[in-house]
Each structure stands twice: as structure tokens, then as C-alpha cells.
């Protein structure tokens, strides 16, 4: 999985477990693509402090994933529903398959 996507998914699932300060720094650097220097200047901390905070947050988020596996389960479920949709789409000549394909499409949109 691409690193940026992985970080975004980890944050989506476990970001609320970070402190407010950690969330702000992580969002600015990882999600909003600000440089360490920009974030450091805005928050009145050192560039090294921002760097250390990002590393700490990445370790925390990865640790939560190691214990709970929510991102892994999400990615796997999404893949399986995608396969169901593809099979139903290929067999769409049968009315029930069209319905299954629609249900799978709805589930994928909600995931």
C-alpha cells in the first residue's frame, strides 16, 4: 500500500486517539503537506520537534494497527466486496446478479 494512503487510513481509524496537539501537527504535515519548517513556525516549536512528533505519531498509529488490525480488515473487506461486485457485473444477465452488483456498489461507496 502506498505510504501516504497508509498514513491517511491509519489516521482515519486511530487519529482520535492522539492528543489535540499531535493531531494538529500530524494533519498539517501528513494530510495538508506542510513542511516541518512551516508547521514549526506556526506552532512556535522547533523543526526537530515537529519531526519527532511525526515519528512518534506514526509509531503510535502503527502500534494501534498491530493490536486492532482495523485498517487491514477494512482493506480486505473492501477488496472482497469489489470482487463480489465484479463477479455480479459479469453475470448481470441474471436479475439477482444485478441486485447483488448494486448492493456491492453501495457497500463500496459507504466504505
Amino acid at each position: 500500500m502506498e505510504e501516504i494512503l497508509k498514513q491517511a487510513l491509519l489516521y482515519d481509524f486511530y487519529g482520535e486517539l492522539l492528543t489535540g496537539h499531535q493531531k494538529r501537527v500530524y494533519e498539517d504535515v501528513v494530510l495538508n503537506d506542510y513542511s516541518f519548517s512551516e508547521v514549526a513556525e506556526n506552532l512556535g516549536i522547533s523543526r526537530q520537534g515537529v519531526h519527532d512528533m511525526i515519528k512518534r505519531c506514526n509509531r503510535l498509529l502503527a502500534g494501534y494497527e498491530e493490536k486492532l488490525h482495523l485498517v487491514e480488515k477494512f482493506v480486505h473487506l473492501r477488496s472482497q466486496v469489489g470482487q463480489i461486485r465484479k463477479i455480479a457485473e459479469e453475470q448481470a444477465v441474471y436479475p439477482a446478479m444485478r441486485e447483488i452488483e448494486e448492493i456491492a456498489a453501495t457497500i463500496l461507496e459507504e466504505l
Side-chain angles (χ1 to χ4, degrees):
M1 184 180 330
E2 185 180 324
E3 189 61 29
I4 297 296
L5 176 59
K6 182 180 176 182
Q7 287 178 311
L9 283 173
L10 287 171
Y11 184 78
D12 285 346
F13 278 86
Y14 307 113
E16 289 302 313
L17 300 173
L18 300 175
T19 67
H21 183 65
Q22 288 171 327
K23 287 194 308 190
R24 178 159 183 210
V25 171
Y26 196 84
E27 286 174 5
D28 283 350
V29 172
V30 176
L31 304 178
N32 298 329
D33 202 28
Y34 294 147
S35 70
F36 290 168
S37 298
E38 290 173 312
V39 175
E41 186 177 321
N42 288 340
L43 298 178
I45 58 178
S46 69
R47 186 183 174 287
Q48 184 64 43
V50 172
H51 178 266
D52 292 345
M53 179 73 68
I54 296 301
K55 285 182 74 171
R56 186 176 315 117
C57 289
N58 282 332
R59 278 195 311 272
L60 284 169
L61 296 173
Y64 295 137
E65 177 60 14
E66 284 178 26
K67 291 178 179 97
L68 301 172
H69 304 284
L70 296 178
V71 173
E72 179 185 332
K73 290 174 186 174
F74 169 79
V75 170
H76 181 70
L77 179 63
R78 191 169 171 193
S79 173
Q80 286 183 317
V81 173
Q83 288 175 328
I84 290 169
R85 182 179 184 195
K86 182 179 176 190
I87 291 167
E89 210 173 79
E90 291 168 356
Q91 302 295 321
V93 293
Y94 303 105
M97 287 299 180
R98 283 191 212 122
E99 188 176 344
I100 291 170
E101 191 273 328
E102 290 172 10
I103 292 168
T106 300
I107 292 170
L108 285 172
E109 286 176 18
E110 291 178 7
L111 289 176

